[in-house]
Amino acid sequence: MTLRLMPESRLRCSTVLLVRLSVACLVFCAIQGCQRQPAKPPKVTSPTVEKPTDTEMGSDKPATLPILLEVPNFSLADQAGKTFGTDELKGRVWVANFMFTRCTATCPRQTAKVEELQQTVGLWPDVDRLNLISFTVDPEHDTSSRLDEYAQVHHANPLLWKFLTGSRPDIWKLCAEGFKLPVSESVTDTSSPITHSPKFVLVDKQLRIRGYYDGLAEPDFRKLIVDVRSLLSESVTDDTRMLHVGVPKDVFCPPWLPQRAADQRKQADQMRVFHDFTFTDEIDASGIRFVNRVVTDATRNYRANHYDHGNGISVADVDGDGLLDIYFVNQIGGNELWRNLGAGRFEDMTQVAGVALKGRVCVSAAFADTDNDGDPDLYVTTTRHGNAFFENDGKGHFRDVTEASGLTQHAHSSGADFFDFDNDGRLDLFVTNVGNFTTDEVAYAGDSDKKEFPFYTGITDSFSGHLFPHRFEQSVLYHNEGGNRFRDVSEETGLVHRKWSGDATPLDFNRDGWTDLYVVNMQGNDDYYENIQGQRFECRSQEVFPKSVWGGMCAKSFDYNNDGLMDLFVTNMHADMWKRGDGGNLGATESEKAPQDVLPESLLKSRVVGMNIFGNGFFENHGDKFEEISDRINTETFWPWGHTAADLNADGFQDLLVTASMNYPFRYHHNSLLLNDRGTRFQGAEFILGIEPRRDGRTAAPCFTLDCAATDAKHALCKGGSGPITVWGALGSRSSVIFDLDQDGDLDIVTNDFNGRPMLLLSNLSTRNEKLKYLKVRLEGTRSNKSGLGAQVQIKADGKILTQIQDGQSGYLSQSAMPLYFGLGEANVVDQLIVQWPSGHRQVIEGPIDVNRELLIVEDVKIAVQ
Amino acid sequence: MKPQQTLQSMRKPLSAEPVMTAPTLIDENKSKVKARLFSQSPIVSAGHFSNLLLFFANRIRNRRVFDPLSLFSGCLFVTGLTIGCSSSDWLPSFSFCSSDSSKSVTNEILIPQPYRIEITGGQYRWKVRYPGFDGILSTSDDVIIGPTIHIPEDTEILFELKSTDFVYLLSLPHFHRKEIAVPGLDFSIKVHPDTIGEFALEGDDLCGDSHPEMNGRLIVESRPQFESWLRQQAVIK
């Protein structure tokens, strides 16, 4: 009996069956033992092959492995000298191989592979139901104590990896007749007296052989891991213990991931961009206990809709202690605000701050000083639960002033961005709304009797939402009238945006002093609205971005080549959405763009047919036009959500962190860290810098549990199963914020992961690079808005000009209030600093300016620079 | 006759706002057929001529030349000396012509051009509806089958795509056609197969798991083979 995992086609199943059959039959011929000389294969009868019983309803066939042979009963001794055999192995999945310690040919490589296998499976939740068994074919020499020594050298976990010895006739008979693997005395080679097969054999819980593998060949070894995983998730009739099921089935061990890691690490030596530092996930040490929880539309009752976009993460110094605090947004269970205590430690201040919004499904957060009183206020968007606006008292106590402010909105809101569109010194607000992707049915993500954590269930066809005009929800531009009062001026300014949108980024693209707006449309081409003198907005998307991202997620502008012009990077997962993986699961294993005809035009409704970008778009600013150069500069990534630009190696060029992965029921994808190679191209370095693999090498986490014996018997994943199962889904990050959280001078990363714990990735750059040079710039507007949003800062140092805009844009669905960070490379001083304020005022500060500190620049106020 | 519209909504141009499914449209079509029938008197002919006649009529139709003969192609016909008809409710006096007679395997199958076949996605499966004997969709003699689709060669086929739940994508790689099925909206794929053979039919729900059961075959066969296949389906039904 088997549990349904991801369905595979019948064709594939039968192919696998055939392949396995041939493996079983050919194994007698393919002898590569300790000697090259082939030994005479033992006489065997053909293995009886039984078709796996299929008890499920319907035509969904699980990816079953054939049943090849029954393993005969045996009882031997393990490395501790204890009896160990089929009695102990019943009900467990195990991988067998034959070896001996004196062997110098294939055995060392076999053992190294088992060690590698031990490392991989050691991370699995159900590793206690698994064994790795190494049989010695040289038992006279390999006594238990000899095997114990050997086991310790190879770091064998004695509970998991057993080395078995006994009488030679027993073991040889077991090898030749039980496993049908050849073993014989070597005739020619006196140095290696026994010839045996190096194959790995996979045995199931009922002592049946399910596969033979050439463990020394990488693809077969990867297949073995996947098949072990799949057998562990197979239930047996009398099995009442918790079963752990990965969806898709390779989610615990994506076979392409280790190869990708190895390939990238190999390139490290050739990288000329500085990469001699690493990040370590210190979330446990930080004290942060936040866990992102999501609606059941994204877990047990999965249906593809926009709840999967997850949540933002924003930082601001909410209590005026000079340290940036972190606000985690959540769908279920409430948002959390964590006070920065310094040195990488945090404490929960949600209660005192009053910003939990428990019971609301939240999406994004934006911090900015909207009333110009010197502290960051907060706006939070929700999915139909009412957006909230909080006024800060300067000490981190927030008061809900939504109603009085005029910012009440009950929509499918997404990103929110503060910027001053009319340069009146007060921050206005743009709220992107997705469109109606929910029904009026209310479900509960918590205890339904207590009506805990209600949410509106998603519609089933939300990805065609943009084809239904009545489902559109207009995004809103609010004008700040002063005193934290806002007014909807969308119609008045002509910013009538009715698209299926997720996020936006404000920027003065045409450098006329008025902040324009780039809006990312998840189902459609992106839009660009030009700000005409702070009076109105003109949609000039086609003119300015003729080649356009279709279905983007997040946009962020920064100057990647230090030419003083702000370029634009837009992430777009549509290159990954059209590809099927090995298990039939969506998601590419190579990062590349999708072709123009990936989806029919009736769905795309392209602005101009043939001018779409299905994948990330990188638009280089040439002053008079934007050129799309993403492939040339290597910024295509895997299933991306949002990104943050920051100079992580402090070499004077801004790098990119792209958060990625889609979570249950999709395959795992890793976050990308793209190091900027001196403004020429980007180089993937996530595996080099410790961003990947994740903490403990994990790629999956428990997503939900099902009681297949009772309440969940009808769930698709319960097909063929009878007991409780825990379904594991892929990990994935949605948003990230990059700032110097421990005040050591380098930039650290904090993520908000979907349905999981965040990562807090501390950089060790400041210790790895003693010559680290940086300057943090904090802006305070007087005529301009106090947050300085929209101000451009240019730094001249070491012959370079570094340009950044204070826009608070960090990650997806997030706006933060934090200082700008300039990595200075080898510059010891800053020669000049120029601030172009949104008020129009140009403030020039002549150097030399001391570095490695935070510089506060108040508009119109002369400051001491040394 | 409607101009050819590939890869787009059958009844509305792309630029127009999508329309909700309107069953009345089907009725309109039906009444058109009825009107045609009414304008013709039943024709008696030998059975094997009817195919030839249809073939001829189709050819004319494809050349966009109006000919009264083309009107025949949308309906009727006779096997041997038996008078046949297509409409389920027209001329009730011919009881053997009513929809119930579709169970009779001796009846001629009507294949109007374009030949409309409805493909509906639901619960990760395709349900394919054929017009049955009368050549008209949504009548009681419709034949409903699984994801492998038979179609007659040298015939203009209009696959009408619908969905009852999710957004699905249907691809016919051999014909370079790809279209979505969305609840409440109408989309269609038009093909005109000129080669007999078996081709891939790929289905997917958009932005979700793979559903191999949505992959089928598109079998293009000769008109007689197709008719005999459809007849079998009708008998099974």
Side-chain angles (χ1 to χ4, degrees), chain A residues 317-375:
Chain A
D317 176 11
V318 298
D319 49 6
D321 64 357
L323 298 169
L324 294 168
D325 312 299
I326 310 177
Y327 187 57
F328 292 94
V329 189
N330 208 352
Q331 278 184 1
I332 297 301
N335 306 332
E336 290 181 14
L337 181 61
W338 287 79
R339 188 199 314 272
N340 192 337
L341 304 173
R345 301 277 307 164
F346 291 80
E347 72 176 11
D348 190 353
M349 64 175 294
T350 315
Q351 270 322 85
V352 285
V355 287
L357 294 174
K358 218 169 181 172
R360 296 192 208 184
V361 174
C362 295
V363 183
S364 76
F367 277 118
D369 186 359
T370 55
D371 49 4
N372 291 330
D373 65 351
D375 55 52

Side-chain angles (χ1 to χ4, degrees), chain A residues 600, chain B residues 7 119 126 128 147 149 159-161 167-173 176-181 188-189 200-206 214-216 218:
Chain B
L7 277 180
I119 306 181
W126 295 118
V128 186
I149 301 180
F159 293 118
E160 299 182 356
L161 297 178
V167 183
Y168 296 102
L169 185 66
L170 179 88
S171 304
L172 301 173
H176 305 289
R177 294 281 188 277
K178 201 180 270 184
E179 192 47 277
I180 45 169
S188 62
I189 296 180
L201 179 153
E202 293 164 3
D204 248 330
D205 71 317
L206 207 65
M214 298 196 85
N215 293 332
L218 184 68

Side-chain angles (χ1 to χ4, degrees), chain A residues 342-600:
Chain A
R345 301 277 307 164
F346 291 80
E347 72 176 11
D348 190 353
M349 64 175 294
T350 315
Q351 270 322 85
V352 285
V355 287
L357 294 174
K358 218 169 181 172
R360 296 192 208 184
V361 174
C362 295
V363 183
S364 76
F367 277 118
D369 186 359
T370 55
D371 49 4
N372 291 330
D373 65 351
D375 55 52
D377 307 298
L378 173 66
Y379 186 75
V380 183
T381 65
T382 70
T383 304
R384 288 181 74 182
H385 285 159
N387 298 350
F389 181 50
F390 296 97
E391 199 174 291
N392 189 350
D393 71 350
K395 292 174 187 139
H397 306 121
F398 289 82
R399 189 164 59 93
D400 190 330
V401 293
T402 317
E403 222 161 287
S405 70
L407 289 173
T408 314
Q409 193 170 162
H410 286 76
H412 300 76
S413 294
S414 195
D417 300 278
F418 286 108
F419 70 113
D420 183 3
F421 80 85
D422 56 352
N423 290 345
D424 64 353
R426 288 189 291 254
L427 289 172
D428 312 302
L429 174 67
F430 183 71
V431 180
T432 47
N433 287 330
V434 178
N436 188 356
F437 64 85
T438 57
T439 67
D440 285 335
E441 182 203 7
V442 175
Y444 298 93
D447 187 338
S448 52
D449 292 338
K450 292 184 196 155
K451 301 200 165 180
E452 203 180 24
F453 305 127
F455 70 96
Y456 294 95
T457 59
I459 54 176
T460 53
D461 61 334
S462 52
F463 290 102
S464 61
H466 61 296
L467 304 181
F468 295 85
H470 67 273
R471 291 190 197 164
F472 282 114
E473 271 175 357
Q474 191 172 314
S475 295
V476 185
L477 177 68
Y478 293 100
H479 181 255
N480 188 338
E481 309 273 291
N484 269 345
R485 297 281 194 284
F486 290 79
R487 187 169 60 87
D488 181 348
V489 292
S490 315
E491 312 285 337
E492 198 175 299
T493 56
L495 188 57
V496 180
H497 184 78
R498 292 171 65 78
K499 297 281 179 68
W500 216 260
S501 309
D503 217 346
T505 193
L507 184 83
D508 183 9
F509 283 86
N510 60 350
R511 294 177 296 151
D512 65 351
W514 302 97
T515 305
D516 314 302
L517 196 64
Y518 185 95
V519 188
V520 192
N521 295 328
M522 297 182 288
Q523 284 159 223
N525 295 100
D526 291 350
D527 277 309
Y528 165 65
Y529 293 94
E530 202 159 283
N531 183 341
I532 313 294
Q533 304 287 311
Q535 299 295 309
R536 61 192 172 84
F537 286 86
E538 232 171 58
C539 184
R540 298 188 59 201
S541 322
Q542 181 54 29
E543 223 174 312
V544 181
F545 296 97
K547 214 173 163 195
S548 162
V549 165
W550 195 99
M553 303 311 302
C554 176
K556 161 79 189 169
S557 57
F558 68 107
D559 178 11
Y560 91 99
N561 53 359
N562 291 342
D563 64 355
L565 299 168
M566 301 307 282
D567 312 298
L568 179 72
F569 184 43
V570 185
T571 49
N572 176 7
M573 58 176 62
H574 282 83
D576 306 84
M577 279 176 66
W578 69 289
K579 280 199 170 180
R580 293 282 172 204
D582 300 333
N585 197 257
L586 272 180
T589 51
E590 292 301 327
S591 58
E592 57 191 6
K593 298 251 175 346
Q596 288 289 325
D597 63 349
V598 61
L599 291 167

Side-chain angles (χ1 to χ4, degrees), chain B residues 3 28 37 47 74 86 88 109 138 168 187 197 206 227:
Chain B
E28 273 169 36
L37 281 167
S86 63
S88 57
I109 291 172
S138 302
Y168 296 102
F187 295 97
L206 207 65
E227 288 185 7

Side-chain angles (χ1 to χ4, degrees), chain A residues 67-89:
Chain A
I67 294 162
L68 300 173
L69 290 166
E70 300 263 342
V71 176
N73 286 337
F74 63 84
S75 181
L76 300 165
D78 68 8
Q79 64 263 48
K82 283 193 183 142
T83 305
F84 195 88
T86 36
D87 284 350
E88 285 76 20
L89 286 167

Side-chain angles (χ1 to χ4, degrees), chain A residues 597-675:
Chain A
D597 63 349
V598 61
L599 291 167
E601 194 49 44
S602 51
L603 182 77
L604 295 176
K605 308 265 182 203
S606 306
R607 195 153 59 218
V608 178
V609 176
M611 293 293 273
N612 295 320
I613 300 164
F614 294 105
N616 296 345
F618 198 105
F619 299 92
E620 182 173 2
N621 191 341
H622 292 298
D624 53 348
K625 63 172 182 152
F626 285 89
E627 185 193 357
E628 205 286 304
I629 56 164
S630 57
D631 285 339
R632 195 182 86 210
I633 61 167
N634 192 34
T635 53
E636 195 58 46
T637 57
F638 292 92
W639 211 298
W641 289 98
H643 53 280
T644 303
D647 190 359
L648 291 164
N649 56 3
D651 66 349
F653 290 93
Q654 292 198 75
D655 313 297
L656 283 167
L657 178 80
V658 187
T659 48
S661 198
M662 185 77 188
N663 303 79
Y664 176 85
F666 296 88
R667 62 168 40 189
Y668 176 72
H669 278 294
H670 59 77
N671 293 331
S672 289
L673 197 156
L674 303 174
L675 286 180

